[in-house]
C-alpha cells in the first residue's frame, strides 16, 4: 500500500514494564495484516551505545539482529510478532545519539556554534527517528520511547517527538500507555495516576491521541469516558489492555477495541476492511487447544530473571504449539546443580536446553547436566556456550582430557578444545566486537539439523568470541562427536552432534533469534518433536 509515511510514537507513564513493546508489536501486527508496510524502532534513553555490554540482570536478554547489532530485547518481540527482520537502525540509544553529535562536533560540522541538547541532540534524535521512514519502504513507522514520562533521561526524546508531531501534523500520532491500579481495600480502579501522567506529557507539549490503559480488571465504560474527558481524547481512543493469558492474544484484544481503526482514522487512512489474521488465529487456536504437555529443562545461570532467556523460551513455546503441545519450561540453576542432585533435577524432563552465557559462574553445573544427558540419551540442545560446554564435557569424560576447557574460563588449560577466535586476538574494546549477526552455515547431509531445516545451506545469527578448536576435530569425530555444520568460508564449526544418541545437538549460532510466531525455527521444532517422543516413551 502506498500512503505517505505515518509516524506513531508510543510512550509510557506511571510505571515501567507496562508492555509498550507488546502494544507496539500488536499494532504492527494489525497494520501488517491490513496490508500496510510497517516497521518498529526502539529509542532507549540510557547512555550505553548498545545493550551488548550490559549484564542480563539489567535489561534481560541481549537480542541480535541479522546485521550484527546487539539490541534491546523488545526487538525480539517486534520480529516475533511481525515476522520482519530488524536492523541496527531499529534500536538507538542516548549513547549512540551523543556519540554521533560529538563526532560531528570534532569534525567541525557545527561551524563554530555552541553544541546543545536543543537543537543538536534533538535534531540527531529526529534524524534517527525519520531514517527508516525516509527509505520509502514503510507506510507506518512505530517508534517506542523507552523509559517513563518524567524520567530526566527521556526528556530529549520527548522533546523530539513534540517537534515532530508539530511538523508532521496528521502524519504523526501519539499513543500513551499508562497503568490503572486496582485498590483491593477500596475495591476500586483508580485513574488518577493516568490523569497525572497525561498532564505530565501535556506539560512537555505532547497531546496524546490514543491512551492505552493497562489494567488487571475490566474498565467500566463510565471510567473510559471519564479518562477521555480529563485527557482531551475521544472515548473510542481510550483502550484497555487487560492482562492476557499470552502476549500473542494482545493483537486480537487491541483489534476488538478498535486500536487499528483509531490509528487509521486519526492518520487519515482508509478504515474499511478487516485485518487478515487467519494464520495468527491458527497459532492461537493451537495454543489454546493443546491438551498434552512437553516439559523442557533449561540449565542456565540467569534463571532468577526469565527475561534473560526470552528468545529461547518464546522459540520453545512456538515450537511446542506447532507440535500441538503446551510447553512447561523448568528453569534449572546451573550453579546449584551437582553430581548428587542432578538425577532428581533432570529426571522428569522430556528435553534439556543448555543455555548460552559468558564466564565461569555456573559452568561446572552445565558439565554435570551434560554428562547426565549424554548418559541418559535425553534430547539435549546446547546453544552457543551450551554447545561449547558439550564439547568440553565430551573432551573431559570421553576423550579423557580431564582439564579440557575453553580459554575463556582457563587460559592455561592443556586442552583448549574451545579457543579464542583468531580475529578476536587483537581486540581490546568489549563493545560490539564479538562475531555478531548472520553467517552462512553448511550442514552435513543426513544430520539432525539438515533433516530439520530440509536444506544444507542455512544462515543463522551469532554472538561469540570463542570457537571449537579445529585441531581437535578428528579426535572428536573418531570418538563419536561429529561436526555437522560449518562456515563454508572459514571452516568454523557451527554445529556438533553425537549421532549415536537420539537428539544431542549443539549450535554455535543462536537459532532462537530467528523464530517467529508465523515462522518457527525448524531446529526448535525438531528438538521439541524429539522431546515429545522421549516423553511418550517413558509413559
Ligand atoms: N562466552 C562464549 C563466547 O564468547 C559463548 C557466548 C554465548 O553463549 N553467546 O564464545
Amino acid at each position: 500500500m502506498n500512503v505517505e509515511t505515518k509516524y506513531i510514537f508510543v510512550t509510557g507513564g506511571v510505571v515501567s514494564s507496562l508492555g509498550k513493546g507488546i502494544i507496539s508489536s500488536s499494532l504492527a501486527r494489525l497494520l501488517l495484516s491490513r496490508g500496510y508496510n510497517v516497521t518498529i524502532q526502539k529509542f532507549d534513553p540510557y547512555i550505553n551505545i548498545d545493550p551488548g555490554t550490559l549484564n542480563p540482570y539489567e535489561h534481560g536478554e541481549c537480542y541480535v539482529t541479522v546485521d550484527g547489532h546487539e539490541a534491546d530485547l523488545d526487538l525480539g518481540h517486534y520480529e516475533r510478532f511481525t515476522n520482519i527482520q530488524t536492523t541496527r537502525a531499529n534500536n538507538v540509544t542516548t549513547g549512540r545519539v551523543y556519540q554521533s553529535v560529538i563526532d560531528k562536533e570534532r569534525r567541525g560540522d557545527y561551524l563554530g556554534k555552541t553544541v546543545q541538547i536543543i537543537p543538536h541532540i534533538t535534531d540527531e534524535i529526529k534524524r534517527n527517528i525519520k531514517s527508516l521512514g525516509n527509505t520509502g519502504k514503510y507506510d507506518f513507522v512505530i517508534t517506542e520511547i523507552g523509559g517513563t514520562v518524567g524520567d530526566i533521561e527521556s526528556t530529549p526524546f520527548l522533546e523530539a517527538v513534540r517537534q515532530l508531531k508539530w511538523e508532521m501534523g496528521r502524519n504523526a500520532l501519539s499513543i500513551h500507555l499508562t497503568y490503572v491500579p486496582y485498590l483491593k481495600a477500596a475495591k476500586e480502579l483508580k485513574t488518577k495516576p493516568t490523569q497525572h501522567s497525561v498532564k505530565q506529557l501535556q506539560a512537555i507539549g505532547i497531546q496524546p491521541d490514543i491512551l492505552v490503559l493497562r489494567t488487571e480488571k475490566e474498565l467500566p465504560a463510565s471510567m473510559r469516558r471519564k479518562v477521555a474527558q480529563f485527557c482531551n481524547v475521544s472515548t473510542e481512543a481510550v483502550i484497555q489492555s487487560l492482562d492476557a493469558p499470552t502476549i500473542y492474544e494482545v493483537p486480537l484484544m487491541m483489534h476488538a477495541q478498535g486500536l487499528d481503526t483509531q490509528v487509521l482514522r486519526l492518520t487519515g487512512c482508509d478504515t474499511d476492511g478487516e485485518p487478515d489474521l487467519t494464520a495468527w488465529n491458527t497459532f492461537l487456536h493451537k495454543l489454546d487447544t493443546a491438551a498434552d504437555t512437553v516439559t523442557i529443562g533449561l540449565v542456565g545461570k540467569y534463571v532468577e530473571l526469565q527475561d534473560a532467556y526470552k528468545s529461547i523460551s518464546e522459540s520453545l513455546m512456538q515450537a511446542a504449539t506447532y507440535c500441538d503441545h503446551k510447553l512447561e519450561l523448568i528453569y534449572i540453576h546451573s550453579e546449584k546443580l551437582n553430581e548428587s542432585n542432578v538425577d532428581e533435577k533432570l529426571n522428569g524432563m522430556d528435553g534439556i536446553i543448555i543455555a548460552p552465557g559468558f564466564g565461569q559462574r555456573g559452568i561446572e553445573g552445565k558439565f554435570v547436566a551434560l554428562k547426565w544427558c549424554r548418559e541418559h540419551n535425553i534430547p539435549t540442545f546446547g546453544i552457543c556456550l551450551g554447545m561449547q560446554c558439550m564439547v568440553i564435557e565430551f573432551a573431559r569424560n570421553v576423550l579423557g582430557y580431564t582439564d579440557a576447557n575453553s580459554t575463556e574460563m582457563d587460559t592455561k588449560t592443556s586442552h583448549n578444545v574451545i579457543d579464542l577466535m583468531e580475529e578476536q586476538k587483537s581486540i581490546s574494546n568489549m563493545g560490539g566486537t564479538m562475531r555478531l549477526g548472520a553467517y552462512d552455515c553448511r550442514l552435513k547431509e543426513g544430520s539432525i539439523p539438515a533433516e530439520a531445516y530440509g536444506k544444507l545451506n542455512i544462515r543463522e545469527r551469532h554472538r561469540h568470541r570463542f570457537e571449537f578448536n579445529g585441531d581437535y576435530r578428528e579426535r572428536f569425530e573418531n570418538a563419536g562427536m561429529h561436526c555437522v555444520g560449518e562456515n563454508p568460508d572459514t571452516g568454523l564449526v557451527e554445529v556438533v552432534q553425537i549421532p549415536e544418541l537420539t537428539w544431542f545437538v549443539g549450535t554455535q549460532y543462536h537459532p532462537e533469534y530467528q523464530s517467529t510466531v508465523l515462522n518457527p525455527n525448524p531446529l526448535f521444532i525438531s528438538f521439541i518433536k524429539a522431546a515429545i517422543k522421549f516423553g511418550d516413551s517413558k509413559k
Side-chain angles (χ1 to χ4, degrees), residues 98-161:
Y98 270 79
Q99 190 177 50
S100 158
V101 168
I102 291 168
D103 286 349
K104 285 182 190 166
E105 187 274 335
R106 292 289 82 184
R107 279 203 306 267
D109 291 2
Y110 296 115
L111 305 172
K113 289 262 183 261
T114 309
V115 180
Q116 297 183 295
I117 293 183
I118 301 168
H120 303 99
I121 295 294
T122 44
D123 279 354
E124 183 64 22
I125 294 173
K126 283 162 72 181
R127 192 182 67 74
N128 277 290
I129 288 177
K130 290 194 282 191
S131 86
L132 282 173
N134 286 342
T135 59
K137 288 198 277 194
Y138 302 104
D139 304 313
F140 286 92
V141 176
I142 300 174
T143 305
E144 180 189 343
I145 308 287
T148 309
V149 171
D151 296 347
I152 292 177
E153 54 186 17
S154 313
T155 310
F157 292 96
L158 295 173
E159 168 59 16
V161 171

Side-chain angles (χ1 to χ4, degrees), residues 208-213 219-240 257-259 262 265-266:
D209 302 285
I210 296 174
L211 296 175
V212 177
L213 274 40
L219 295 182
S222 58
M223 193 162 274
R224 286 165 73 158
R225 276 199 299 277
K226 180 173 151 193
V227 170
Q229 207 168 37
F230 272 107
C231 302
N232 299 347
V233 295
S234 64
T235 313
E236 307 79 69
V238 180
I239 287 167
Q240 69 173 354
Q257 296 175 78
L259 176 67
Q262 287 302 320
R265 185 177 66 78
L266 291 164

Side-chain angles (χ1 to χ4, degrees), residues 54 133-134 240 246 276 359 471:
L54 288 174
N134 286 342
Q240 69 173 354
T246 146
D276 177 4
D471 295 347

Side-chain angles (χ1 to χ4, degrees), residues 75-116:
L75 271 77
H77 288 309
Y78 303 166
E79 292 204 11
R80 288 188 282 274
F81 274 72
T82 64
N83 206 26
I84 296 172
Q85 290 181 338
T86 53
T87 64
R88 184 184 160 78
N90 294 76
N91 191 196
V92 177
T93 66
T94 293
R96 276 251 306 275
V97 171
Y98 270 79
Q99 190 177 50
S100 158
V101 168
I102 291 168
D103 286 349
K104 285 182 190 166
E105 187 274 335
R106 292 289 82 184
R107 279 203 306 267
D109 291 2
Y110 296 115
L111 305 172
K113 289 262 183 261
T114 309
V115 180
Q116 297 183 295

Side-chain angles (χ1 to χ4, degrees), residues 356-358 383-385 388 408 463-466 508 510:
F358 295 84
I383 300 178
C384 204
L385 180 65
Q388 297 175 355
E408 179 181 2
R463 183 172 188 246
H464 64 122
R465 289 187 205 281
F466 295 81
Q508 184 59 76
H510 290 261

